[in-house]
Amino acid sequence: MSHLYKLVKNTNEKMTEAFGKWYARPVYTGTLDLNGIAELIQRNSTAKKSDALAVLTEMVEVISDALKASQRVKIDGFGTFKIGMSSKGADDVKKFNIAENLKGVHVLFQPEEDVDKATKKRTKRLLKGLSFAPAASLVNVKEVEERGKEEGEVNP
């Protein structure tokens, strides 16, 4: 199965080197939620959907609790979650106040990687075997062209 993409023309004149060039952008056909994951686990294993859903729901809570407790969470074969922060600088260490200087907190995810020993090239394990197909081959091309014009894009 291939990941779908569409071509988008850069119309930002401020990006002089990229202006007018075409770039690939991913196309998503839906969202797989926790319930859907549980259904697939049931289909692909001996676990019942309700059991899989219970474990997955608890996993989300455990990950959340671990992140709040200043821990990284590593799921072998998948990747690592951790907390990231952005803050405004303070002129002096004594003047730093978390309530005033903290701008935001976010979750970072680093997918697990495999490293080719010969080339030292890193490959995200989740993306191994990934291939691509143009989305236009699965939809009405005229509709895509019209939609592109509405969005300020012109498809070739």
Side-chain angles (χ1 to χ4, degrees):
M1 188 177 304
S2 297
H3 194 296
L4 303 177
Y5 70 91
K6 67 179 179 178
L7 295 179
V8 177
K9 189 173 187 178
N10 183 334
T11 58
N12 185 346
E13 294 177 5
K14 293 179 182 177
M15 299 176 71
T16 55
E17 289 185 31
F19 179 72
K21 294 184 179 178
W22 292 89
Y23 295 89
R25 296 292 179 259
V27 172
Y28 300 99
T29 59
T31 301
L32 181 62
D33 62 7
L34 211 57
N35 194 47
I37 293 170
E39 285 180 26
L40 291 171
I41 289 172
Q42 175 179 271
R43 186 175 73 193
N44 296 330
S45 71
T46 59
K48 290 184 179 180
K49 177 183 170 186
S50 58
D51 295 331
L53 191 55
V55 170
L56 291 169
T57 300
E58 186 62 24
M59 184 181 83
V60 171
E61 290 181 30
V62 167
I63 290 172
S64 177
D65 290 347
L67 292 173
K68 292 173 189 172
S70 296
Q71 293 180 316
R72 290 183 175 155
V73 177
K74 182 175 191 263
I75 301 173
D76 295 332
F78 186 61
T80 303
F81 295 89
K82 64 182 180 179
I83 294 294
M85 304 169 76
S86 59
S87 62
K88 294 184 281 186
D91 293 331
D92 186 86
V93 69
K94 293 178 183 174
K95 293 182 181 179
F96 187 90
N97 179 311
I98 196 72
E100 293 175 17
N101 292 82
L102 184 66
K103 290 171 35 178
V105 180
H106 49 276
V107 176
L108 298 169
F109 175 69
Q110 178 64 48
E112 196 163 299
E113 294 179 326
D114 293 322
V115 181
D116 183 300
K117 291 180 182 178
T119 64
K120 297 187 180 174
K121 181 180 177 184
R122 296 176 176 269
T123 305
K124 307 274 190 249
R125 191 170 286 180
L126 292 171
L127 302 180
K128 269 193 171 175
L130 177 66
S131 63
F132 296 94
S137 66
L138 301 177
V139 295
N140 183 318
V141 175
K142 198 140 189 97
E143 179 186 329
V144 171
E145 289 174 352
E146 290 303 314
R147 194 177 321 133
K149 289 176 186 173
E150 292 169 12
E151 296 173 1
E153 304 163 2
V154 180
N155 288 321

